[in-house]
Protein backbone atom coordinates (compact mmCIF):
# COMPACT_ATOMS: atom_id res chain seq x y z
CA UNK A 1 0.00 0.00 0.00
CA UNK A 2 2.90 2.36 0.78
CA UNK A 3 4.25 1.74 -2.71
CA UNK A 4 0.85 2.66 -4.18
CA UNK A 5 0.81 5.92 -2.20
CA UNK A 6 4.28 6.83 -3.44
CA UNK A 7 3.29 6.03 -7.03
CA UNK A 8 0.14 8.16 -6.62
CA UNK A 9 2.26 11.10 -5.46
CA UNK A 10 4.34 10.74 -8.63
CA UNK A 11 1.10 10.65 -10.59
CA UNK A 12 0.05 13.96 -9.04
CA UNK A 13 3.32 15.53 -10.14
CA UNK A 14 2.29 14.64 -13.70
CA UNK A 15 -1.40 15.54 -13.38
CA UNK A 16 -0.87 19.03 -11.89
CA UNK A 17 1.16 20.28 -14.85
CA UNK A 18 -0.67 23.23 -16.47
CA UNK A 19 -1.29 21.42 -19.76
CA UNK A 20 -2.68 18.29 -18.11
CA UNK A 21 -4.96 20.35 -15.86
CA UNK A 22 -6.20 22.10 -19.02
CA UNK A 23 -6.84 18.78 -20.76
CA UNK A 24 -8.59 17.50 -17.63
CA UNK A 25 -10.81 20.60 -17.62
CA UNK A 26 -11.60 20.21 -21.33
CA UNK A 27 -12.57 16.57 -20.77
CA UNK A 28 -14.77 17.41 -17.78
CA UNK A 29 -16.44 20.30 -19.62
CA UNK A 30 -17.14 18.22 -22.73
CA UNK A 31 -18.43 15.40 -20.53
CA UNK A 32 -20.78 17.81 -18.73
CA UNK A 33 -21.97 19.14 -22.08
CA UNK A 34 -22.73 15.74 -23.60
CA UNK A 35 -24.42 14.71 -20.36
CA UNK A 36 -26.76 17.71 -20.59
CA UNK A 37 -27.59 17.10 -24.28
CA UNK A 38 -29.80 14.00 -24.69
CA UNK A 39 -28.74 11.73 -27.53
CA UNK A 40 -24.98 12.21 -27.17
CA UNK A 41 -23.51 10.27 -24.27
CA UNK A 42 -19.95 9.76 -22.97
CA UNK A 43 -19.50 6.76 -25.28
CA UNK A 44 -20.26 8.72 -28.46
CA UNK A 45 -18.28 11.77 -27.32
CA UNK A 46 -15.22 9.69 -26.42
CA UNK A 47 -15.33 7.92 -29.78
CA UNK A 48 -15.69 11.21 -31.68
CA UNK A 49 -12.81 12.91 -29.88
CA UNK A 50 -10.24 10.10 -30.05
CA UNK A 51 -8.91 11.35 -33.45
CA UNK A 52 -8.20 14.75 -31.84
CA UNK A 53 -5.70 13.09 -29.51
CA UNK A 54 -3.33 12.21 -32.36
CA UNK A 55 0.00 13.87 -31.64
CA UNK A 56 -0.79 14.38 -27.95
CA UNK A 57 1.27 12.82 -25.17
CA UNK A 58 -0.35 9.50 -24.17
CA UNK A 59 -0.96 10.58 -20.57
CA UNK A 60 -2.59 13.86 -21.68
CA UNK A 61 -4.83 12.05 -24.16
CA UNK A 62 -6.04 9.50 -21.60
CA UNK A 63 -6.58 12.24 -18.97
CA UNK A 64 -8.84 14.16 -21.36
CA UNK A 65 -10.81 11.12 -22.55
CA UNK A 66 -11.28 9.85 -18.98
CA UNK A 67 -12.57 13.33 -18.03
CA UNK A 68 -15.27 12.99 -20.69
CA UNK A 69 -16.34 9.68 -19.16
CA UNK A 70 -16.87 10.74 -15.56
CA UNK A 71 -17.90 14.28 -16.56
CA UNK A 72 -20.80 12.82 -18.54
CA UNK A 73 -22.10 11.16 -15.36
CA UNK A 74 -22.40 14.58 -13.72
CA UNK A 75 -24.06 16.28 -16.70
CA UNK A 76 -26.86 13.74 -17.11
CA UNK A 77 -28.30 14.81 -13.76
CA UNK A 78 -29.21 18.31 -14.90
CA UNK A 79 -31.75 17.47 -17.60
CA UNK A 80 -33.13 14.56 -15.55
CA UNK A 81 -33.94 16.88 -12.65
CA UNK A 82 -35.05 19.97 -14.57
CA UNK A 83 -36.98 18.66 -17.58
CA UNK A 84 -37.45 14.94 -16.82
CA UNK A 85 -35.33 13.99 -19.85
CA UNK A 86 -32.63 11.41 -19.09
CA UNK A 87 -29.64 11.32 -21.42
CA UNK A 88 -28.70 7.74 -20.52
CA UNK A 89 -30.08 4.72 -18.66
CA UNK A 90 -28.54 5.63 -15.28
CA UNK A 91 -30.25 9.02 -15.40
CA UNK A 92 -33.67 7.36 -15.58
CA UNK A 93 -33.44 6.64 -11.86
CA UNK A 94 -32.66 10.29 -11.10
CA UNK A 95 -35.88 11.34 -12.87
CA UNK A 96 -37.98 9.37 -10.39
CA UNK A 97 -37.34 11.78 -7.50
CA UNK A 98 -35.25 14.55 -9.05
CA UNK A 99 -38.04 15.87 -11.24
CA UNK A 100 -40.68 15.77 -8.44
CA UNK A 101 -38.23 17.75 -6.28
CA UNK A 102 -37.90 20.32 -9.09
CA UNK A 103 -41.69 20.61 -9.32
CA UNK A 104 -41.74 21.29 -5.56
CA UNK A 105 -39.29 24.16 -6.06
CA UNK A 106 -36.35 22.14 -4.69
CA UNK A 107 -34.35 21.69 -7.89
CA UNK A 108 -31.38 23.33 -6.14
CA UNK A 109 -31.50 20.65 -3.43
CA UNK A 110 -31.58 17.83 -5.99
CA UNK A 111 -28.70 19.26 -8.03
CA UNK A 112 -26.47 20.04 -5.05
CA UNK A 113 -27.08 16.67 -3.40
CA UNK A 114 -26.30 14.99 -6.74
CA UNK A 115 -23.10 17.05 -7.10
CA UNK A 116 -21.89 16.22 -3.58
CA UNK A 117 -22.86 12.56 -3.92
CA UNK A 118 -21.11 12.33 -7.28
CA UNK A 119 -17.98 13.93 -5.81
CA UNK A 120 -17.89 11.64 -2.75
CA UNK A 121 -18.65 8.53 -4.82
CA UNK A 122 -15.99 9.43 -7.37
CA UNK A 123 -13.46 10.18 -4.63
CA UNK A 124 -14.01 6.89 -2.79
CA UNK A 125 -13.86 4.86 -6.00
CA UNK A 126 -10.62 6.58 -7.04
CA UNK A 127 -9.07 5.83 -3.62
CA UNK A 128 -10.10 2.20 -4.13
CA UNK A 129 -8.66 2.29 -7.65
CA UNK A 130 -5.34 3.57 -6.30
CA UNK A 131 -5.00 1.33 -3.22
CA UNK A 132 -6.80 -1.99 -3.66
CA UNK A 133 -7.08 -2.55 -7.41
CA UNK A 134 -5.31 -5.91 -7.92
CA UNK A 135 -7.12 -8.10 -5.31
CA UNK A 136 -10.52 -6.64 -6.16
CA UNK A 137 -9.95 -7.14 -9.87
CA UNK A 138 -8.96 -10.75 -9.20
CA UNK A 139 -12.29 -11.31 -7.39
CA UNK A 140 -14.25 -9.64 -10.21
CA UNK A 141 -12.59 -11.99 -12.68
CA UNK A 142 -14.54 -14.86 -11.08
CA UNK A 143 -17.69 -13.49 -12.70
CA UNK A 144 -18.28 -15.61 -15.77
CA UNK A 145 -21.53 -15.78 -17.80
CA UNK A 146 -23.24 -17.84 -15.07
CA UNK A 147 -22.42 -15.38 -12.28
CA UNK A 148 -23.30 -12.46 -14.56
CA UNK A 149 -26.70 -14.00 -15.31
CA UNK A 150 -27.42 -14.45 -11.59
CA UNK A 151 -26.33 -10.87 -10.82
CA UNK A 152 -28.57 -9.49 -13.57
CA UNK A 153 -31.52 -11.57 -12.33
CA UNK A 154 -30.89 -10.07 -8.90
CA UNK A 155 -30.87 -6.62 -10.50
CA UNK A 156 -34.12 -7.44 -12.34
CA UNK A 157 -35.73 -8.44 -9.04
CA UNK A 158 -34.86 -4.99 -7.71
CA UNK A 159 -37.13 -3.52 -10.40
CA UNK A 160 -40.01 -4.70 -8.22
CA UNK A 161 -39.19 -1.78 -5.93
CA UNK A 162 -39.96 0.64 -8.79
CA UNK A 163 -43.36 -0.80 -9.67
CA UNK A 164 -45.37 1.83 -7.83
CA UNK A 165 -48.60 1.19 -5.96
CA UNK A 166 -49.85 -1.71 -8.08
CA UNK A 167 -47.85 -4.86 -8.66
CA UNK A 168 -50.08 -5.72 -11.62
CA UNK A 169 -49.34 -2.40 -13.36
CA UNK A 170 -45.65 -2.89 -12.57
CA UNK A 171 -45.67 -6.33 -14.18
CA UNK A 172 -47.33 -4.82 -17.27
CA UNK A 173 -44.39 -2.38 -17.43
CA UNK A 174 -41.90 -5.26 -17.12
CA UNK A 175 -43.68 -7.14 -19.92
CA UNK A 176 -43.49 -4.07 -22.20
CA UNK A 177 -39.77 -3.74 -21.46
CA UNK A 178 -39.19 -7.40 -22.36
CA UNK A 179 -41.12 -7.02 -25.64
CA UNK A 180 -39.06 -4.00 -26.63
CA UNK A 181 -35.83 -5.88 -25.89
CA UNK A 182 -36.82 -8.63 -28.35
CA UNK A 183 -36.78 -6.22 -31.31
CA UNK A 184 -33.68 -6.59 -33.48
CA UNK A 185 -30.90 -9.13 -33.75
CA UNK A 186 -30.61 -12.12 -31.43
CA UNK A 187 -27.39 -11.48 -29.41
CA UNK A 188 -26.15 -15.06 -29.85
CA UNK A 189 -27.62 -16.61 -33.02
CA UNK A 190 -27.82 -13.37 -35.02
CA UNK A 191 -31.42 -13.99 -36.17
CA UNK A 192 -33.61 -10.93 -36.81
CA UNK A 193 -36.67 -10.70 -34.55
CA UNK A 194 -39.74 -8.46 -34.82
CA UNK A 195 -38.13 -5.99 -37.22
CA UNK A 196 -41.19 -6.27 -39.56
CA UNK A 197 -38.99 -5.61 -42.59
CA UNK A 198 -37.82 -2.22 -41.29
CA UNK A 199 -34.04 -1.99 -41.79
CA UNK A 200 -33.62 0.56 -38.99
CA UNK A 201 -34.99 -1.97 -36.46
CA UNK A 202 -32.41 -4.66 -37.30
CA UNK A 203 -30.05 -3.29 -34.65
CA UNK A 204 -32.91 -2.84 -32.17
CA UNK A 205 -34.49 0.21 -30.59
CA UNK A 206 -32.13 2.87 -29.26
CA UNK A 207 -32.26 3.33 -25.50
CA UNK A 208 -31.80 7.12 -25.56
CA UNK A 209 -34.65 7.54 -28.07
CA UNK A 210 -36.95 5.42 -25.92
CA UNK A 211 -36.05 7.41 -22.78
CA UNK A 212 -36.58 10.80 -24.42
CA UNK A 213 -39.98 9.72 -25.69
CA UNK A 214 -41.25 7.97 -22.57
CA UNK A 215 -40.02 10.59 -20.12
CA UNK A 216 -39.40 13.92 -21.85
CA UNK A 217 -42.04 14.04 -24.61
CA UNK A 218 -44.76 12.41 -22.51
CA UNK A 219 -44.18 15.06 -19.84
CA UNK A 220 -44.72 17.76 -22.46
CA UNK A 221 -47.98 16.12 -23.60
CA UNK A 222 -49.26 15.87 -20.03
CA UNK A 223 -48.14 19.42 -19.25
CA UNK A 224 -49.90 20.82 -22.33
CA UNK A 225 -53.21 19.90 -20.72
CA UNK A 226 -52.53 22.64 -18.15
CA UNK A 227 -50.23 24.79 -20.25
CA UNK A 228 -51.20 28.12 -18.70
CA UNK A 229 -51.32 26.93 -15.10
CA UNK A 230 -48.03 27.96 -13.51
CA UNK A 231 -47.94 25.66 -10.51
CA UNK A 232 -44.22 25.77 -9.75
CA UNK A 233 -43.23 27.24 -6.43
CA UNK A 234 -41.25 30.43 -6.14
CA UNK A 235 -38.52 29.01 -3.88
CA UNK A 236 -36.76 27.32 -6.78
CA UNK A 237 -33.32 28.36 -5.49
CA UNK A 238 -33.86 26.51 -2.21
CA UNK A 239 -30.85 24.27 -1.65
CA UNK A 240 -31.15 23.43 2.04
CA UNK A 241 -32.07 20.02 3.29
CA UNK A 242 -35.13 19.94 5.52
CA UNK A 243 -35.10 18.69 9.08
CA UNK A 244 -34.48 14.96 9.19
CA UNK A 245 -33.10 14.71 5.64
CA UNK A 246 -29.38 15.13 6.41
CA UNK A 247 -28.64 11.77 8.04
CA UNK A 248 -30.53 9.58 5.49
CA UNK A 249 -28.88 11.51 2.65
CA UNK A 250 -25.37 11.05 4.08
CA UNK A 251 -25.97 7.34 4.64
CA UNK A 252 -27.31 6.88 1.10
CA UNK A 253 -24.21 8.58 -0.29
CA UNK A 254 -21.94 6.26 1.72
CA UNK A 255 -23.84 3.14 0.63
CA UNK A 256 -23.96 4.28 -2.99
CA UNK A 257 -20.20 4.90 -3.01
CA UNK A 258 -19.27 1.34 -2.06
CA UNK A 259 -22.07 -0.28 -4.10
CA UNK A 260 -21.12 1.54 -7.30
CA UNK A 261 -17.42 0.82 -6.83
CA UNK A 262 -18.00 -2.92 -6.40
CA UNK A 263 -20.38 -3.08 -9.38
CA UNK A 264 -17.78 -1.34 -11.54
CA UNK A 265 -15.43 -4.28 -11.00
CA UNK A 266 -17.75 -6.70 -12.77
CA UNK A 267 -17.26 -6.95 -16.56
CA UNK A 268 -20.41 -6.48 -18.62
CA UNK A 269 -22.32 -4.27 -16.22
CA UNK A 270 -23.37 -0.66 -16.85
CA UNK A 271 -23.86 2.37 -14.62
CA UNK A 272 -27.63 1.77 -14.80
CA UNK A 273 -27.36 -1.39 -12.68
CA UNK A 274 -25.74 0.14 -9.54
CA UNK A 275 -28.11 3.13 -9.86
CA UNK A 276 -31.10 0.80 -9.97
CA UNK A 277 -29.92 -1.37 -7.06
CA UNK A 278 -29.02 1.72 -5.02
CA UNK A 279 -32.49 3.23 -5.51
CA UNK A 280 -34.27 0.01 -4.56
CA UNK A 281 -32.00 -0.43 -1.54
CA UNK A 282 -32.60 3.12 -0.31
CA UNK A 283 -36.36 2.69 -0.69
CA UNK A 284 -36.32 -0.51 1.34
CA UNK A 285 -34.10 0.94 4.08
CA UNK A 286 -36.02 4.22 4.33
CA UNK A 287 -38.35 4.93 7.25
CA UNK A 288 -40.61 6.72 4.76
CA UNK A 289 -40.63 4.62 1.56
CA UNK A 290 -43.89 6.29 0.52
CA UNK A 291 -41.91 9.46 -0.28
CA UNK A 292 -39.96 7.74 -3.05
CA UNK A 293 -41.23 8.76 -6.45
CA UNK A 294 -42.66 11.94 -4.94
CA UNK A 295 -39.44 13.80 -4.15
CA UNK A 296 -37.21 11.79 -1.76
CA UNK A 297 -33.72 13.32 -1.54
CA UNK A 298 -32.19 9.87 -0.91
CA UNK A 299 -33.70 8.77 -4.24
CA UNK A 300 -31.35 11.23 -5.94
CA UNK A 301 -28.32 10.96 -3.65
CA UNK A 302 -27.90 7.16 -3.66
CA UNK A 303 -28.19 6.45 -7.42
CA UNK A 304 -26.17 9.52 -8.44
CA UNK A 305 -23.39 8.52 -6.04
CA UNK A 306 -23.48 4.91 -7.25
CA UNK A 307 -23.22 5.69 -10.96
CA UNK A 308 -20.23 8.01 -10.39
CA UNK A 309 -18.52 5.59 -8.03
CA UNK A 310 -18.98 2.97 -10.73
CA UNK A 311 -16.50 4.84 -12.95
CA UNK A 312 -13.50 4.33 -10.67
CA UNK A 313 -14.36 0.68 -10.13
CA UNK A 314 -14.74 0.10 -13.88
CA UNK A 315 -11.19 1.38 -14.44
CA UNK A 316 -9.67 -1.40 -12.31
CA UNK A 317 -10.28 -4.35 -14.69
CA UNK A 318 -9.04 -2.16 -17.56
CA UNK A 319 -5.79 -1.16 -15.85
CA UNK A 320 -4.98 -4.48 -14.19
CA UNK A 321 -6.49 -7.12 -16.50
CA UNK A 322 -7.09 -5.36 -19.83
CA UNK A 323 -10.82 -6.09 -19.60
CA UNK A 324 -13.30 -3.30 -20.54
CA UNK A 325 -16.40 -3.28 -18.32
CA UNK A 326 -18.57 -0.92 -20.38
CA UNK A 327 -18.79 0.49 -23.93
CA UNK A 328 -17.06 3.73 -22.92
CA UNK A 329 -14.25 1.82 -21.21
CA UNK A 330 -13.90 -0.29 -24.36
CA UNK A 331 -13.41 2.89 -26.42
CA UNK A 332 -10.93 4.16 -23.81
CA UNK A 333 -9.07 0.88 -24.19
CA UNK A 334 -8.88 1.55 -27.93
CA UNK A 335 -7.34 4.96 -27.14
CA UNK A 336 -4.69 3.24 -24.99
CA UNK A 337 -3.78 0.91 -27.84
CA UNK A 338 -3.77 3.75 -30.37
CA UNK A 339 -1.11 5.46 -28.26
CA UNK A 340 1.01 2.29 -28.06
CA UNK A 341 -0.15 1.19 -24.60
CA UNK A 342 -1.43 -2.27 -23.73
CA UNK A 343 -3.85 -2.35 -20.78
CA UNK A 344 -3.23 -5.29 -18.47
CA UNK A 345 -0.93 -6.50 -15.69
CA UNK A 346 2.21 -5.11 -17.35
CA UNK A 347 0.79 -1.59 -17.75
CA UNK A 348 1.76 -0.58 -14.19
CA UNK A 349 5.36 -1.67 -14.92
CA UNK A 350 5.78 -0.45 -18.51
CA UNK A 351 3.81 2.84 -18.32
CA UNK A 352 3.45 3.83 -14.65
CA UNK A 353 3.36 7.55 -15.51
CA UNK A 354 0.26 7.07 -17.68
CA UNK A 355 -1.56 4.90 -15.11
CA UNK A 356 -0.84 6.95 -12.00
CA UNK A 357 -1.09 10.26 -13.88
CA UNK A 358 -4.59 9.28 -15.04
CA UNK A 359 -5.63 8.14 -11.55
CA UNK A 360 -4.34 11.39 -10.00
CA UNK A 361 -6.11 13.43 -12.70
CA UNK A 362 -9.40 11.82 -11.68
CA UNK A 363 -9.01 13.36 -8.21
CA UNK A 364 -8.43 16.74 -9.84
CA UNK A 365 -11.29 16.20 -12.31
CA UNK A 366 -13.77 15.45 -9.52
CA UNK A 367 -12.78 18.69 -7.77
CA UNK A 368 -13.22 20.59 -11.07
CA UNK A 369 -16.67 19.06 -11.56
CA UNK A 370 -17.73 19.90 -8.00
CA UNK A 371 -16.62 23.51 -8.52
CA UNK A 372 -18.51 23.62 -11.83
CA UNK A 373 -21.67 22.11 -10.33
CA UNK A 374 -22.03 23.44 -6.78
CA UNK A 375 -22.09 27.20 -7.50
CA UNK A 376 -24.13 26.72 -10.68
CA UNK A 377 -26.80 24.53 -9.08
CA UNK A 378 -28.90 27.60 -8.26
CA UNK A 379 -28.51 28.96 -11.78
CA UNK A 380 -29.54 25.63 -13.32
CA UNK A 381 -32.43 25.41 -10.86
CA UNK A 382 -33.90 28.65 -12.24
CA UNK A 383 -34.60 26.79 -15.48
CA UNK A 384 -37.29 24.87 -13.60
CA UNK A 385 -39.15 28.13 -12.94
CA UNK A 386 -39.46 29.07 -16.63
CA UNK A 387 -43.15 29.04 -17.67
CA UNK A 388 -44.14 25.82 -19.39
CA UNK A 389 -45.32 27.59 -22.54
CA UNK A 390 -41.72 28.81 -23.05
CA UNK A 391 -39.89 25.74 -21.72
CA UNK A 392 -41.74 23.00 -23.63
CA UNK A 393 -40.79 24.15 -27.17
CA UNK A 394 -37.12 24.30 -26.13
CA UNK A 395 -37.29 20.82 -24.58
CA UNK A 396 -38.99 19.47 -27.70
CA UNK A 397 -36.31 20.93 -30.00
CA UNK A 398 -33.51 19.51 -27.79
CA UNK A 399 -35.21 16.11 -27.74
CA UNK A 400 -35.65 16.05 -31.52
CA UNK A 401 -32.03 17.07 -32.09
CA UNK A 402 -30.89 14.43 -29.60
CA UNK A 403 -32.97 11.74 -31.30
CA UNK A 404 -31.64 12.72 -34.73
CA UNK A 405 -28.00 12.57 -33.59
CA UNK A 406 -28.43 8.97 -32.41
CA UNK A 407 -28.09 7.71 -36.01
CA UNK A 408 -28.44 10.88 -38.10
CA UNK A 409 -31.86 9.64 -39.16
CA UNK A 410 -35.38 11.09 -39.10
CA UNK A 411 -36.54 7.57 -38.24
CA UNK A 412 -35.30 8.04 -34.67
CA UNK A 413 -37.39 11.21 -34.32
CA UNK A 414 -40.41 9.19 -35.41
CA UNK A 415 -39.61 6.51 -32.84
CA UNK A 416 -39.30 9.16 -30.13
CA UNK A 417 -42.69 10.64 -31.06
CA UNK A 418 -44.31 7.19 -30.93
CA UNK A 419 -42.84 6.50 -27.50
CA UNK A 420 -43.92 9.96 -26.37
CA UNK A 421 -47.53 9.05 -27.14
CA UNK A 422 -47.07 5.63 -25.50
CA UNK A 423 -45.63 7.35 -22.42
CA UNK A 424 -48.58 9.73 -22.29
CA UNK A 425 -51.04 6.81 -22.35
CA UNK A 426 -49.05 4.92 -19.71
CA UNK A 427 -49.08 7.95 -17.42
CA UNK A 428 -52.85 8.20 -17.77
CA UNK A 429 -53.13 4.51 -16.90
CA UNK A 430 -50.69 5.01 -13.97
CA UNK A 431 -48.30 2.38 -15.32
CA UNK A 432 -44.75 3.14 -14.12
CA UNK A 433 -42.22 3.73 -16.91
CA UNK A 434 -38.92 3.24 -15.07
CA UNK A 435 -39.30 -0.59 -15.08
CA UNK A 436 -39.81 -0.52 -18.87
CA UNK A 437 -36.46 1.15 -19.52
CA UNK A 438 -34.51 -0.75 -16.90
CA UNK A 439 -35.88 -4.15 -17.94
CA UNK A 440 -35.02 -3.20 -21.53
CA UNK A 441 -31.42 -2.49 -20.46
CA UNK A 442 -31.04 -5.64 -18.38
CA UNK A 443 -32.90 -8.19 -20.50
CA UNK A 444 -30.46 -8.22 -23.45
CA UNK A 445 -27.54 -8.83 -21.08
CA UNK A 446 -29.55 -11.49 -19.22
CA UNK A 447 -30.36 -13.31 -22.46
CA UNK A 448 -26.75 -13.26 -23.64
CA UNK A 449 -25.37 -14.39 -20.26
CA UNK A 450 -27.92 -17.20 -19.91
CA UNK A 451 -27.29 -18.61 -23.38
CA UNK A 452 -23.52 -18.46 -22.88
CA UNK A 453 -23.88 -20.15 -19.48
CA UNK A 454 -26.05 -22.93 -20.92
CA UNK A 455 -23.50 -23.61 -23.66
CA UNK A 456 -20.50 -23.58 -21.31
CA UNK A 457 -22.13 -25.75 -18.62
CA UNK A 458 -24.23 -27.81 -21.08
CA UNK A 459 -27.31 -27.13 -19.00
CA UNK A 460 -28.46 -25.34 -15.86
CA UNK A 461 -25.92 -27.02 -13.55
CA UNK A 462 -23.76 -23.90 -13.36
CA UNK A 463 -26.54 -21.93 -11.69
CA UNK A 464 -26.39 -24.04 -8.52
CA UNK A 465 -22.78 -25.23 -8.65
CA UNK A 466 -21.42 -21.65 -8.46
CA UNK A 467 -21.68 -20.23 -4.90
CA UNK A 468 -21.73 -16.65 -6.21
CA UNK A 469 -24.52 -17.36 -8.71
CA UNK A 470 -26.53 -19.36 -6.19
CA UNK A 471 -26.26 -16.56 -3.62
CA UNK A 472 -27.57 -13.94 -6.07
CA UNK A 473 -30.44 -16.18 -7.23
CA UNK A 474 -31.53 -16.94 -3.66
CA UNK A 475 -31.46 -13.21 -2.85
CA UNK A 476 -33.56 -12.51 -5.96
CA UNK A 477 -36.18 -15.11 -4.97
CA UNK A 478 -36.34 -13.70 -1.43
CA UNK A 479 -36.90 -10.18 -2.75
CA UNK A 480 -39.71 -11.34 -5.04
CA UNK A 481 -41.40 -13.37 -2.28
CA UNK A 482 -41.19 -10.52 0.22
CA UNK A 483 -42.51 -8.06 -2.38
CA UNK A 484 -45.47 -10.31 -3.21
CA UNK A 485 -46.18 -10.76 0.51
CA UNK A 486 -46.05 -7.01 1.10
CA UNK A 487 -48.41 -6.45 -1.86
CA UNK A 488 -50.86 -9.04 -0.51
CA UNK A 489 -50.70 -7.54 3.00
CA UNK A 490 -51.33 -4.02 1.71
CA UNK A 491 -54.30 -5.19 -0.37
CA UNK A 492 -55.72 -6.99 2.64
CA UNK A 493 -55.29 -3.90 4.84
CA UNK A 494 -56.97 -1.69 2.23
CA UNK A 495 -59.86 -4.16 1.95
CA UNK A 496 -60.34 -4.26 5.74
CA UNK A 497 -60.23 -0.47 5.96
CA UNK A 498 -62.84 -0.17 3.21
CA UNK A 499 -65.04 -2.72 4.99
CA UNK A 500 -64.81 -0.81 8.27
CA UNK A 501 -65.63 2.42 6.43
Amino acid sequence: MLESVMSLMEGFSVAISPMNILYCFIGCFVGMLVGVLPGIGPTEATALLIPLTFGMEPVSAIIMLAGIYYGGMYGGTITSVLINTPGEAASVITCLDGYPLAKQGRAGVALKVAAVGSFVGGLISIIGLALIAPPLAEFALRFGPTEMFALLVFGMSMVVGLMGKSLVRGLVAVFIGLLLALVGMDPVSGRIRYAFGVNQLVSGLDLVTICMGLFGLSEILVGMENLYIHNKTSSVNSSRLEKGEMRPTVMSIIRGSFLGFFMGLIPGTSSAIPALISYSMEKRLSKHPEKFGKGAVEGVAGPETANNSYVGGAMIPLFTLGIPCSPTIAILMGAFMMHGLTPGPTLFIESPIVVWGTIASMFIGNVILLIMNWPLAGAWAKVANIPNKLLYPVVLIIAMLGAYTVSNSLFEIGVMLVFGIIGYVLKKLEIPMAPIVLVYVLSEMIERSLLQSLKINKGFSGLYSSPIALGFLIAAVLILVLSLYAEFRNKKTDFLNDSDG
Side-chain angles (χ1 to χ4, degrees), residues 198-276:
V198 180
N199 292 333
Q200 290 90 338
L201 292 178
V202 170
S203 58
L205 294 162
D206 185 80
L207 175 64
V208 174
T209 307
I210 293 173
C211 289
M212 287 191 292
L214 286 179
F215 289 88
L217 188 55
S218 68
E219 186 64 31
I220 293 175
L221 294 174
V222 171
M224 286 177 66
E225 295 176 353
N226 303 299
L227 189 59
Y228 294 97
I229 299 177
H230 189 65
N231 55 9
K232 297 175 185 177
T233 60
S234 58
S235 59
V236 81
N237 262 337
S238 171
S239 58
R240 296 190 176 209
L241 293 172
E242 294 178 354
K243 185 178 180 181
E245 288 182 336
M246 178 62 77
R247 188 177 184 280
T249 301
V250 171
M251 294 306 297
S252 66
I253 288 174
I254 293 172
R255 285 190 290 265
S257 297
F258 289 98
L259 172 67
F261 177 68
F262 174 74
M263 296 297 292
L265 299 174
I266 302 169
T269 57
S270 73
S271 57
I273 297 174
L276 163 63

Side-chain angles (χ1 to χ4, degrees), residues 416-438:
M416 183 195 70
L417 294 174
V418 169
F419 276 99
I421 296 170
I422 292 172
Y424 173 79
V425 173
L426 293 177
K427 282 187 175 181
K428 290 298 180 181
L429 296 174
E430 297 185 353
I431 293 176
M433 289 183 290
I436 296 175
V437 176
L438 294 164

Side-chain angles (χ1 to χ4, degrees), residues 149-160 284 446 468-484:
F149 169 75
L151 171 65
L152 293 169
V153 169
F154 174 73
M156 187 81 84
S157 70
M158 288 292 190
V159 174
V160 174
R284 293 181 186 283
I446 286 178
I468 297 174
L470 187 61
F472 276 124
L473 291 175
I474 291 173
V477 171
L478 287 175
I479 288 172
L480 290 173
V481 170
L482 291 173
S483 298
L484 290 170

Side-chain angles (χ1 to χ4, degrees), residues 39-56:
I40 306 175
T43 303
E44 293 83 0
T46 306
L48 289 171
L49 292 182
I50 278 182
L52 297 182
T53 64
F54 280 119
M56 291 173 58

Side-chain angles (χ1 to χ4, degrees), residues 214-356:
L214 286 179
F215 289 88
L217 188 55
S218 68
E219 186 64 31
I220 293 175
L221 294 174
V222 171
M224 286 177 66
E225 295 176 353
N226 303 299
L227 189 59
Y228 294 97
I229 299 177
H230 189 65
N231 55 9
K232 297 175 185 177
T233 60
S234 58
S235 59
V236 81
N237 262 337
S238 171
S239 58
R240 296 190 176 209
L241 293 172
E242 294 178 354
K243 185 178 180 181
E245 288 182 336
M246 178 62 77
R247 188 177 184 280
T249 301
V250 171
M251 294 306 297
S252 66
I253 288 174
I254 293 172
R255 285 190 290 265
S257 297
F258 289 98
L259 172 67
F261 177 68
F262 174 74
M263 296 297 292
L265 299 174
I266 302 169
T269 57
S270 73
S271 57
I273 297 174
L276 163 63
I277 295 177
S278 173
Y279 186 88
S280 298
M281 182 170 64
E282 294 306 323
K283 186 175 181 179
R284 293 181 186 283
L285 293 175
S286 175
K287 294 180 180 178
H288 303 284
E290 70 280 357
K291 290 185 177 180
F292 281 72
K294 300 176 182 177
V297 178
E298 309 99 280
V300 175
E304 280 297 315
T305 304
N307 71 39
N308 279 273
S309 179
Y310 167 87
V311 174
M315 290 287 192
I316 290 178
L318 175 68
F319 283 161
T320 60
L321 302 169
I323 298 174
C325 289
S326 71
T328 311
I329 293 290
I331 292 172
L332 199 59
M333 182 174 178
F336 269 90
M337 299 175 76
M338 187 185 77
H339 285 277
L341 305 169
T342 305
T346 61
L347 187 64
F348 281 85
I349 300 171
E350 295 175 354
S351 306
I353 292 177
V354 176
V355 175
W356 292 107

Side-chain angles (χ1 to χ4, degrees), residues 366-450:
N366 270 271
V367 173
I368 290 172
L369 286 165
L370 182 65
I371 293 171
M372 289 171 64
N373 279 268
W374 182 273
L376 294 177
W380 283 115
K382 290 180 181 178
V383 175
N385 212 29
I386 297 174
N388 290 340
K389 62 182 179 181
L390 299 177
L391 183 62
Y392 286 160
V394 176
V395 175
L396 182 59
I397 291 170
I398 291 174
M400 292 178 72
L401 286 172
Y404 182 79
T405 57
V406 167
S407 60
N408 294 326
S409 169
L410 293 174
F411 178 79
E412 294 296 340
I413 296 179
V415 172
M416 183 195 70
L417 294 174
V418 169
F419 276 99
I421 296 170
I422 292 172
Y424 173 79
V425 173
L426 293 177
K427 282 187 175 181
K428 290 298 180 181
L429 296 174
E430 297 185 353
I431 293 176
M433 289 183 290
I436 296 175
V437 176
L438 294 164
V439 168
Y440 176 79
V441 172
L442 295 174
S443 55
E444 182 182 350
M445 292 188 285
I446 286 178
E447 182 182 13
R448 184 186 297 111
S449 299
L450 176 60

